[in-house]
Amino acid sequence: MPSMTKRERVQAALRGEPVDRVPASFWGHDFLREWSAEELCAAMVESVRTYDYDYLKVNPRATYYAEAWGCTFSRPKDALGQPEPVSFAVADAAGLGSIRPIDGASGPFAEQLEALRLIDRGLSHEVPFVQTVFSPLSVLGRLTPDRQQVRRWMSDAPDAVHAALGAVTETLAGYARACLDAGADGIFFATTEWGTYDALTDDLYNTFGRPYDLRVLAAASGAPFNVLHVCRPNNMLAALLDYPAAAVNWAMHAPGNASLADILKKTDKAVMGGVDERHALLSGASDDVRAQVGEALRQTGGRRFMLAPGCSIAPNTPPENLRAAVDAVRNP
């Protein structure tokens, strides 16, 4: 079929239409270049240009949400080091009362919005991109030194948890709208460590996760490229397939998680994934990566499918494996 632009290719894949080739992209942290809008833009645009990705999932530092409510972190000193916490906003259940709505276009959010504007210009509007937005429960968990405390507070202080979640949700909804205004084609909505049966039951997630998730996603409604990312092994993806998103992304190779084929049968959304970022991509040979891409193409038939990792790739992922993955969908 005729060659498509990257935008045409991604849009067709999201709609389940034929594509000239399956769109592909990989993403991960650049721990040393995540600390300003300019550096983050440079790292993201560089990744697209280096590997000729079809779309971009912006991968900012994961701490910026917690920074917005006053948490502080030390910057890493090497490419493999992650930010280390220095102080937290919430120490106990009483501290939940200090969590108030803030302007989703100020502080660390303003820095991220500027990065999106720079990325949009840097990619010359040619490559669709989405901004990472953590779920309200994910953000709340990052405001305390022990995320298990939040789990206990769900039983011991549920009203305080709901009030804090409401404040975070109001902020993130405003931020999600601002991301679209800054040029993003959608949000990459991530449940992180909470969207798994290792953390919560369905009832608990339906109480403390779902209502707030849906409010943030509603704020981004109408965007063409919203993605639901359900992280971790034993995830809750099947229970969240009714979320309003154009595509879903998860680690299909993680224990307890569904395959691409399984999810395609249960939803009309596009599926994103296919490559195990923790094993084959990081420490396997190029042939191992190509084999996983081949299996993903067999499971999906190349329809409603976008090649991706199951989660962020490690900074030391071999470049030859990334090139092998992209080449495998272009020259299957």
Side-chain angles (χ1 to χ4, degrees):
M1 64 183 299
S3 178
M4 293 176 157
T5 67
K6 293 182 178 184
R7 284 194 173 275
E8 290 170 341
R9 187 174 298 119
V10 168
Q11 290 166 0
L14 292 173
R15 292 191 297 259
E17 298 171 356
V19 292
D20 59 343
R21 65 175 190 247
V22 168
S25 186
F26 291 81
W27 54 84
H29 287 286
D30 187 324
F31 290 119
L32 297 179
R33 291 196 292 173
E34 297 178 343
W35 297 86
S36 73
E38 294 77 13
E39 287 183 307
L40 177 60
C41 170
M44 296 295 99
V45 172
E46 179 183 292
S47 71
V48 172
R49 300 303 186 202
T50 299
Y51 299 102
D52 194 25
Y53 292 146
D54 293 294
Y55 61 96
L56 170 67
K57 182 266 195 191
V58 179
N59 215 81
R61 65 184 185 278
T63 60
Y64 81 89
Y65 310 92
E67 293 168 29
W69 274 275
C71 298
T72 59
F73 300 84
S74 63
R75 293 177 60 159
K77 295 181 173 58
D78 62 73
L80 296 180
Q82 299 190 34
E84 293 294 332
V86 175
S87 66
F88 290 91
V90 178
D92 51 33
L96 291 170
S98 68
I99 305 305
R100 296 281 191 266
I102 59 177
D103 182 0
S106 67
F109 295 118
E111 175 194 306
Q112 293 299 317
L113 294 172
E114 177 60 14
L116 298 183
R117 289 186 283 267
L118 292 173
I119 289 168
D120 192 28
R121 292 198 291 271
L123 296 175
S124 303
H125 312 290
E126 297 170 354
V127 179
F129 68 95
V130 295
Q131 170 65 315
T132 305
V133 176
F134 284 176
S135 71
L137 190 53
S138 298
V139 173
L140 185 61
R142 282 166 168 73
L143 302 184
T144 174
D146 179 6
R147 293 171 196 164
Q148 290 303 312
Q149 285 181 308
V150 177
R151 175 67 175 80
R152 292 192 292 272
W153 296 336
M154 290 176 182
S155 298
D156 299 341
D159 291 344
V161 173
H162 280 299
L165 285 171
V168 172
T169 300
E170 181 178 336
T171 302
L172 294 182
Y175 175 56
R177 288 189 292 268
C179 288
L180 305 183
D181 292 340
D185 295 272
I187 64 171
F188 186 92
F189 186 81
T191 62
T192 67
E193 66 275 5
W194 294 99
T196 165
Y197 292 107
D198 294 337
L200 296 176
T201 63
D202 281 321
D203 285 346
L204 280 172
Y205 200 89
N206 287 337
T207 300
F208 294 98
R210 175 180 282 267
Y212 304 102
D213 293 350
L214 293 177
R215 284 172 56 189
V216 177
L217 286 165
S221 64
F225 194 8
N226 290 330
V227 179
L228 171 65
H229 172 69
V230 186
C231 210
R232 304 295 194 271
N234 302 310
N235 70 26
M236 295 179 170
L237 176 61
L240 305 180
L241 285 175
D242 62 328
Y243 275 27
V248 291
N249 172 242
W250 75 103
M252 61 167 282
H253 297 92
N257 288 353
S259 68
L260 295 171
D262 289 338
I263 297 301
L264 277 176
K265 294 174 184 175
K266 296 177 179 179
T267 183
D268 59 359
K269 296 173 172 58
V271 295
M272 292 172 59
V275 179
D276 181 359
E277 75 286 348
R278 294 174 61 86
H279 299 97
L281 195 66
L282 178 61
S283 57
S286 294
D287 284 347
D288 299 322
V289 175
R290 288 180 177 276
Q292 288 195 346
V293 175
E295 176 59 24
L297 291 173
R298 283 189 289 274
Q299 287 193 29
T300 62
R303 287 286 188 94
R304 274 196 293 140
F305 172 53
M306 303 171 71
L307 186 71
C311 201
S312 295
I313 67 173
N316 56 336
T317 298
E320 59 269 23
N321 282 355
L322 293 171
R323 292 190 175 92
V326 173
D327 183 68
V329 292
R330 296 180 181 175
N331 299 286

